[in-house]
Amino acid sequence: MTVSANTAKNVATPVAQHEWRDGWKLVLAASFGFSFFSIMMAATGLFMEPLGKEFGWSRTVLSSGPSIATIMTAILGPFFGVLIDRYGSRKLALPGIIATIASVCTFGLVNGEQWQWITLWFIFGLVSVTIKSTIWTAAVVGVFEKSRGLALGLTLSGTAVAQAVIPPLGNYLITEFGWRLAFVWLGLGWGGITFLLVWLFLFDVHSRKAKMVAITNIEAEGAVDLKGLTVKQAVRDRALWQLAFSNFIVMTMTMGLTIHLFPILTEAGISREKAALLTAISGVAAIVGKLVTGYLLDRYRPNWVGGLTLAAAAGAFALLIDDISSPTLIVVALIINGYAAGTKTHITGFLTAGYSGMKNFGAIYGFMSALMALASGVGPLLAGYAYDSSGGYGPFLILGAIGCLIGGLLVITLPKAPSWTEA
């Protein structure tokens, strides 16, 4: 029996509304999961001043914590991606959330020894790899195909929600309860809600297959037929390496800016309260950026959408150079930074799935997310070193503008992705 290519494509490609009918709860749970992973990065700038005053720690020391955690997730990310391909997201995410809650709460026990700060971040990096972007992205891209861009946008907007909510919330908790209890409230409150949603709603292709087998009592061999590159093929793929380099450059610069954005604003003479509200603007813009970018990725050539968006982040660095005192320009810079920088993980996940397929997506995207984690560790250290050595953030901001332009160009020049549905 002969089946036309169009018919096969229609059968293989789910209708978008059916995907959302079956998967919107999964997107909700995954979005909260990624927001919980992001709270420590979003809150670090808030804790720099109180910890620096109480213990006399430098910006470099305080920046080293997130750097250590992200380097740990960079090392463990590819191995964890293999586990996702084998066991699925649900079985790994639930215990990971519990471990991460405990890790966040223990930051309130620091007594001034720098080794404690470093050790706690080491532990946080060790356990938080279980709830990094790989696990949520893998769950969503395995279920969504027709509306993958928008689904990823909503999922990864979790980090933007954290960026929008954590600055004012964290500053309030520090002011009212002290920095020690602020860590506890963030861990138990945000983490508890996340665990409940993931427990109720996070069912990816692996858990759905297991459920089908349990209901029918038939071993559904091949029920999950995933197409794509082998790991060896991915290693030799030029497009994936080009995407990886862009990913690393842009993430290094934008994460350095994100972690130091709060002190950059206070160094310019803005009060902590206003700086917290201004920082939240970036989070709101990031939510808009993820949703708009997701819509555009589903409809236009993804490398042009992604490349232009990443290159636009250079504008935020340029506007913040030389301690700009104009409130209007500061707000514009924060909106640009939030919109463009907030799409990095989204664009990387979408393009990785497009160029690699889903056969070994966990392992391949695990490598990509490892690079993002490594860059997230290098960026804050680079910005902190620039401040400590030059007395300001000017050199880092100039380097950031150049880096984002290069990263955007690398994505724009990517070749057209293969069609794995038709393969």
Side-chain angles (χ1 to χ4, degrees):
M1 179 178 180
T2 302
V3 181
S4 68
N6 289 333
T7 302
K9 184 176 181 180
N10 290 335
V11 171
T13 305
V15 179
Q17 54 263 38
H18 291 172
E19 290 181 340
W20 282 107
R21 182 191 63 192
D22 297 334
W24 71 268
K25 293 178 182 178
L26 181 148
V27 172
L28 175 64
S31 180
F32 261 88
F34 195 40
S35 74
F36 183 50
F37 171 78
S38 306
I39 64 168
M40 287 297 287
M41 296 301 177
T44 298
L46 298 169
F47 289 95
M48 283 186 177
E49 183 178 334
L51 287 170
K53 285 183 177 179
E54 184 163 342
F55 302 134
W57 294 346
S58 68
R59 294 283 171 85
T60 302
V61 170
L62 290 166
S63 300
S64 68
S67 300
I68 290 169
T70 51
I71 290 172
M72 282 296 301
T73 60
I75 295 172
L76 298 174
F79 303 101
F80 191 73
V82 174
L83 294 179
I84 295 173
D85 287 331
R86 182 171 182 179
Y87 298 107
S89 297
R90 180 178 176 84
K91 291 182 179 180
L92 300 172
L94 289 172
I97 293 171
I98 295 175
T100 305
I101 290 173
S103 175
V104 173
C105 292
T106 54
F107 276 88
L109 302 177
V110 173
N111 64 12
E113 297 290 338
Q114 292 184 12
W115 67 265
Q116 293 179 340
W117 179 253
I118 293 172
T119 301
L120 288 174
W121 277 103
F122 178 87
I123 295 172
F124 176 78
L126 185 66
V127 300
S128 65
V129 70
T130 59
I131 61 168
K132 64 181 297 187
S133 61
T134 310
I135 200 162
W136 315 116
T137 302
V140 171
V141 299
V143 172
F144 285 83
E145 183 177 332
K146 186 69 174 178
S147 191
R148 180 178 289 170
L150 183 57
L152 270 180
L154 287 168
T155 298
L156 299 178
S157 67
T159 186
V161 171
Q163 292 169 2
V165 175
I166 289 299
L169 174 61
N171 189 62
Y172 169 79
L173 293 173
I174 292 171
T175 302
E176 295 296 322
F177 304 103
W179 62 267
R180 296 183 186 276
L181 284 178
F183 279 118
V184 177
W185 279 110
L186 290 175
L188 289 177
W190 209 296
I193 295 173
T194 300
F195 180 83
L196 179 62
L197 289 174
V198 170
W199 178 61
L200 290 174
F201 302 135
L202 188 76
F203 297 96
D204 61 0
V205 289
H206 295 271
S207 51
R208 292 181 184 200
K209 176 182 176 181
K211 183 178 180 181
M212 183 181 69
V213 171
I215 293 174
T216 61
N217 198 29
I218 299 175
E219 181 58 35
E221 286 290 339
V224 183
D225 183 18
L226 304 179
K227 296 179 175 61
L229 301 179
T230 65
V231 174
K232 289 184 178 180
Q233 289 172 331
V235 170
R236 298 192 299 267
D237 190 88
R238 181 184 66 84
L240 288 174
W241 277 109
Q242 195 169 324
L243 177 61
F245 282 122
S246 171
N247 168 17
F248 182 79
I249 294 170
V250 176
M251 183 65 80
T252 297
M253 298 296 102
T254 54
M255 280 305 299
L257 178 61
T258 298
I259 295 296
H260 287 265
L261 184 57
F262 191 82
I264 285 174
L265 295 176
T266 55
E267 288 288 332
I270 298 173
S271 67
R272 284 184 59 87
E273 290 74 18
K274 289 183 179 179
L277 292 175
L278 287 172
T279 305
I281 292 175
S282 289
V284 174
I287 296 173
V288 176
K290 290 178 186 297
L291 298 181
V292 172
T293 301
Y295 177 86
L296 296 176
L297 286 171
D298 286 331
R299 286 159 177 80
Y300 302 100
R301 188 162 174 175
N303 62 313
W304 277 92
V305 174
L308 292 174
T309 303
L310 295 178
F317 288 87
L319 287 174
L320 291 172
I321 295 173
D322 295 329
D323 297 331
I324 290 177
S325 57
S326 169
T328 301
L329 289 180
I330 289 176
V331 171
V332 171
L334 295 179
I335 292 174
I336 294 174
N337 178 67
Y339 182 95
T343 62
K344 300 182 301 294
T345 306
H346 182 187
I347 291 169
T348 302
F350 187 97
L351 291 176
T352 300
Y355 287 101
S356 72
M358 290 303 301
K359 187 178 183 66
N360 290 285
F361 177 81
I364 297 170
Y365 186 70
F367 173 77
M368 292 292 186
S369 64
L371 281 181
M372 286 190 280
L374 179 62
S376 298
V378 172
L381 277 179
L382 184 62
Y385 176 78
Y387 179 87
D388 290 337
S389 60
S390 66
Y393 289 102
F396 172 75
L397 294 172
I398 294 173
L399 186 62
I402 298 172
C404 288
L405 288 175
I406 294 173
L409 183 62
L410 286 172
V411 173
I412 289 174
T413 55
L414 285 170
K416 185 177 181 180
S419 177
W420 298 109
T421 301
E422 296 178 345

